[in-house]
Amino acid sequence: MTGARDAILAAIRDARGDAVPTAPAPRSPLPARAQGTPEALVARFVEMALLAGATVSRAAGADGVPGAVAEYLSRGGLGGAVVLSPDPAVAGLDWDRAPRLTVHRGAGRDEMASAAATVTGAVCGVAETGTLMVCAGGPVANALHLLPEAHIAVLRASDIVGGYEAARARLGAELPRAVTFITGPSRTADIEKTPQIGVHGPRRLHIVLVDGA
Amino acid sequence: MEATSARFPANARAALGDADLRASLARLQREYRRDRAAVAARLPEFDALRDAAAAIKDHALDHLAFYLERFEERVIAQGGQVHWCRDGTEACEAVLAICRAEGATAVGKGKSMISEEIGLNAFLERNGIAPVETDLGEYIVQQRGEAPSHIVMPAIHLNVKQIADGFRAAHGALDPARALDGPDALLAEARTRLRDKFLSAEIGITGANFLVAETGSVVLVTNEGNGDLTHTLPRIHIALASIEKAVPTIDDAMALVRVLARSATAQEITSYTSLVTGPARAGDADGPRAFHVVLLDGGRSRLLGSERRAILRCIRCGACQSQCPVYGHVGGHAYGWVYAGPVGAVLTPALLGVPAAKHLPAASTFCGRCEEVCPVRIPLPALMRSWREEAFARRAGSATERALLKLWGAAVRRPALWRALVGPVSYVLAFCARRSGVYRALPLAGGWTGARDMPAPEGGSFVAAWARARKADAP
């Protein structure tokens, strides 16, 4: 197999594809809609997230999150139980403030797969397309973002950035195994080009936007 | 996948007679054109982003060996493995070896055009492993025993009834009288069937939209979430990619993502754009314990050194297919191999050879719509023309065709001779059709007039008419 590696690299060299770069690739322009004041970016994030089929509610501070989650579940007819991500930003919230809500911690895969809703954090929100950047790693399973019927993401308004480059800058040189840009619920147009929601990933994406946190 | 590209003319004729197919394709083209115009209008920088995307790809190709080696270094540093494969056979064997080493037979697949190119599914089935396609469109065509017909929407050639028939035939254990009367019912059935497959797959095979050298990451662009479940739940993740997928940095990949979804499905971005880096780390709650990248050359290094290098910019958006009037009338299967439409017309001769694929670049009017929408500015008509020139030089067409073209070439280069021939012939044709004004059939031109009427000429040459008109206009 080293034979194949050498052969392929030699073929690339012969094809004039082996220069060592002296500069990075040319820069791509940052769209205007990825720029603006923090307030403008928050407003744009909400607008684009809604266009993409997510729902958004606001919570005043971290203490308001459990109530916002409970309200979303009851409005959506999703029952009274959620699976929490072990992320301290979620697990460490004061869930006693939503006493009628049953919270499950330490869920395994089967529980996540049958859950009506999971609650996870988000590293940041990207205003240009209403996109969440979530990471899995350590105790936070990637399946939390993928398996439930509804995925509820807790996002601080102060964590909203303009474009994907700004989001990437939050990750540093070493990436966790799974970084996912999530925009709206799971969808397809494979059947007669009819847009349909909820194929394999969650049928619903709800964002609880935390102000003043 | 067995190629029938050499039978394109017959394939196309059969497709033209398929009313269901024509209706499906008409819907695709109508809606795609409308939706892409809308999404482009919402982003004033779209054209500048396309120029930048082309420049990023060209830079990556100019330094391909460097970026591939850097990518490999990073993958290995994370605990992953890279398998370099010169051709499809080596790639299939590399995948099989990984499955065998794991003792695994339950394989879930996210969408991968490379897997189609190398015939991976059939190869694995011959070796006792049955991969299940998890992308809905791929699953639908897999149930029907068909190949995908479009790079991004594999089942776009089918209507609801055809899909339902495929499900009834394939899901034998279910009640045959159940209602499958609309997209929702079909989706619900597919979601349930595939859920079990996701949860029980031991190996997940995905493609890769981009390979990022900076971090050793694979970028997966999907809407359904199947790619994400495929790289997360099974204990082994194999990513299949051809070598020209390498890009320098995450930011470069996201610049390409900005133009990819807008061109492919007219969305701002897909529901899931994932950066997958290596196997699960110690302490990770989920993720595969082994990560393999199978890198395929498969003719790319040869293309890199040729005058057709620009086709390697392709980011597999399928916009050229969705816009092409020829594809829009005959569909993807007529092209006879993995890649259809304009991108297929340029790639197939490179990968399968001119004799097998010569009809594909000839099946174009050079209207240029493909080039207009290509997010990485590939000069598709020029590349198709270069294949036609090569086919002509290599005598790939019929002797009669070559002789007639040479004759025509000799006449048209001599204006006086041309006018002396065309003038009288044109008057004769005008006279003979003076009542109807049209020819429904012409001797020696049956191939053309079999499906078209030819309007009768006015008589004389254009140049003579032009000279008369100018004289009349002169003061």
Side-chain angles (χ1 to χ4, degrees):
Chain A
M1 215 264 311
T2 21
R5 181 183 186 279
D6 291 342
I8 292 170
L9 288 169
I12 294 173
R13 259 167 215 122
D14 287 343
R16 299 166 296 119
D18 71 324
V20 175
T22 50
R27 295 217 54 181
S28 182
L30 186 66
R33 64 151 106 148
Q35 304 175 56
T37 63
E39 296 75 32
L41 291 182
V42 171
R44 191 162 310 133
F45 174 85
V46 174
E47 180 198 345
M48 297 306 298
L50 293 173
L51 270 176
T55 49
V56 182
S57 64
R58 315 222 22 176
D63 286 345
V65 173
V69 170
E71 212 221 315
Y72 172 70
L73 286 173
S74 85
R75 255 190 303 118
L78 287 164
V82 285
V83 167
L84 297 185
S85 164
D87 180 346
V90 168
L93 293 171
D94 189 1
W95 290 96
D96 292 336
R97 289 172 172 267
R100 279 197 295 275
L101 197 57
T102 311
V103 302
H104 296 281
R105 302 165 192 265
R109 179 175 296 181
D110 289 338
E111 218 188 319
M112 283 185 245
S114 54
T118 58
V119 184
T120 76
V123 173
C124 62
V126 186
E128 75 173 281
T129 45
T131 298
L132 295 168
M133 190 174 82
V134 302
C135 290
V140 177
N142 202 27
L144 285 165
H145 313 110
L146 302 171
L147 285 179
E149 172 75 19
H151 171 209
I152 303 170
V154 178
L155 173 70
R156 295 191 303 188
S158 55
D159 282 332
I160 289 175
V161 299
Y164 309 126
E165 294 82 352
R168 184 262 175 277
R170 297 208 165 197
L171 294 171
E174 298 286 322
L175 265 52
R177 188 196 77 87
V179 177
T180 313
F181 290 95
I182 299 180
T183 313
S186 151
R187 68 184 72 239
T188 184
D190 274 336
I191 299 176
E192 286 194 351
K193 225 173 164 300
T194 307
Q196 293 179 274
I197 300 293
V199 192
H200 303 300
R203 262 187 268 251
R204 308 187 212 201
L205 175 66
H206 183 72
I207 302 169
V208 174
L209 194 55
V210 185
D211 294 310
Chain B
M1 181 182 164
E2 204 222 309
T4 66
S5 311
R7 296 202 294 277
F8 177 83
N11 295 344
R13 261 193 297 279
L16 288 170
D18 183 339
D20 285 331
L21 174 65
R22 301 285 298 271
S24 296
L25 293 170
R27 176 177 44 238
L28 164 68
Q29 298 231 306
R30 189 174 59 237
E31 296 185 4
Y32 177 78
R33 238 166 259 166
R34 174 197 70 197
D35 296 343
R36 185 193 175 273
V39 82
R42 282 201 294 273
L43 188 69
E45 300 89 352
F46 191 42
D47 283 341
L49 287 169
R50 293 201 288 156
D51 294 334
I56 289 170
K57 283 291 299 193
D58 281 342
H59 170 96
L61 293 171
D62 286 340
H63 310 289
L64 189 59
F66 174 83
Y67 288 122
L68 283 171
E69 285 179 306
R70 179 112 180 93
F71 171 76
E72 179 190 44
E73 222 177 84
R74 300 306 313 153
V75 169
I76 291 172
Q78 316 283 359
Q81 288 182 56
V82 177
H83 309 258
W84 299 72
C85 303
R86 281 167 285 209
D87 58 26
T89 309
E90 287 185 358
C92 283
E93 283 169 359
V95 173
L96 181 62
I98 296 166
C99 296
R100 288 236 163 96
E102 289 298 321
T105 53
V107 174
K109 277 187 72 207
K111 205 160 100 54
S112 161
M113 297 310 281
I114 295 297
S115 77
E116 300 289 332
E117 214 182 292
I118 67 178
L120 181 66
N121 287 7
F123 178 84
L124 289 177
E125 280 157 16
R126 285 198 297 277
N127 284 279
I129 296 171
V132 176
E133 295 289 349
T134 64
D135 173 276
L136 179 62
E138 290 283 351
Y139 180 75
I140 288 168
V141 297
Q142 188 182 45
Q143 297 316 304
R144 291 171 55 92
E146 285 179 352
S149 70
H150 186 286
I151 282 178
V152 165
M153 292 170 276
I156 205 63
H157 58 292
L158 299 170
N159 58 36
V160 163
K161 179 175 184 312
Q162 290 168 316
I163 297 170
D165 289 344
F167 277 21
R168 272 186 228 285
H171 302 159
L174 298 175
D175 173 11
R178 69 196 181 283
L180 282 177
D181 48 4
D184 290 342
L186 291 167
L187 177 55
E189 183 161 308
R191 183 178 161 119
T192 317
R193 302 282 299 190
L194 288 171
R195 197 79 158 163
D196 293 331
K197 304 289 182 189
F198 283 123
L199 294 170
S200 60
E202 300 161 294
I203 296 200
I205 300 179
T206 66
N209 291 82
F210 307 108
L211 305 173
V212 183
E214 175 197 9
T215 52
S217 305
V218 160
V219 181
L220 292 174
V221 173
T222 68
N223 272 308
E224 301 180 16
N226 63 308
D228 298 82
L229 289 171
T230 301
H231 79 69
T232 295
L233 299 183
R235 63 178 195 270
I236 309 293
H237 175 206
I238 303 174
L240 295 175
S242 46
I243 54 175
E244 85 282 11
K245 297 286 179 76
V247 298
T249 66
I250 299 280
D251 284 352
D252 294 327
M254 295 312 289
L256 292 166
V257 163
R258 278 198 179 103
V259 296
L260 173 56
R262 288 184 170 97
S263 306
T265 52
Q267 296 172 275
E268 307 276 341
I269 187 176
T270 56
S271 297
Y272 306 99
T273 297
S274 312
L275 313 176
V276 181
T277 312
R281 315 296 156 73
D284 275 1
D286 63 5
R289 58 170 172 64
F291 173 64
H292 298 265
V293 179
V294 173
L295 275 184
L296 173 71
D297 182 336
R300 272 76 175 167
S301 55
R302 200 170 50 243
L303 265 171
L304 188 65
S306 78
E307 84 243 46
R308 301 181 186 102
R309 169 192 269 226
I311 193 62
L312 295 176
R313 286 189 210 142
C314 178
I315 58 176
R316 300 293 189 269
C317 73
C320 58
Q321 298 177 335
S322 298
Q323 283 269 86
C324 173
V326 175
Y327 177 96
H329 284 284
V330 302
H333 289 155
Y335 290 76
W337 199 51
V338 180
Y339 304 106
V343 60
V346 178
L347 265 182
T348 312
L351 303 185
L352 294 186
V354 167
K358 62 179 188 278
H359 293 298
L360 304 190
S364 171
T365 62
F366 290 167
C367 70
R369 279 193 204 151
C370 50
E371 187 173 4
E372 265 174 36
V373 292
C374 178
V376 284
R377 309 285 194 194
I378 301 172
L380 289 157
L383 294 174
M384 284 189 268
R385 176 184 280 114
S386 83
W387 277 122
R388 290 196 199 180
E389 286 166 3
E390 182 160 332
F392 187 82
R394 286 162 56 157
R395 302 166 175 270
S398 74
T400 318
E401 188 186 77
R402 283 199 310 281
L404 285 172
L405 279 172
K406 283 195 174 139
L407 215 60
W408 179 84
V412 84
R413 284 192 199 94
R414 298 169 172 81
L417 173 62
W418 177 258
R419 284 199 295 278
L421 291 171
V422 165
V425 169
S426 169
Y427 276 117
V428 168
L429 286 172
F431 180 80
C432 293
R434 63 195 177 286
R435 262 193 286 271
S436 65
V438 82
Y439 282 93
R440 295 190 210 288
L442 268 181
L444 300 181
W448 187 263
T449 57
R452 296 168 190 79
D453 292 339
M454 189 178 102
E458 283 185 5
S461 72
F462 172 81
V463 169
W466 171 259
R468 278 197 301 277
R470 289 195 63 196
K471 212 162 144 200
D473 284 345

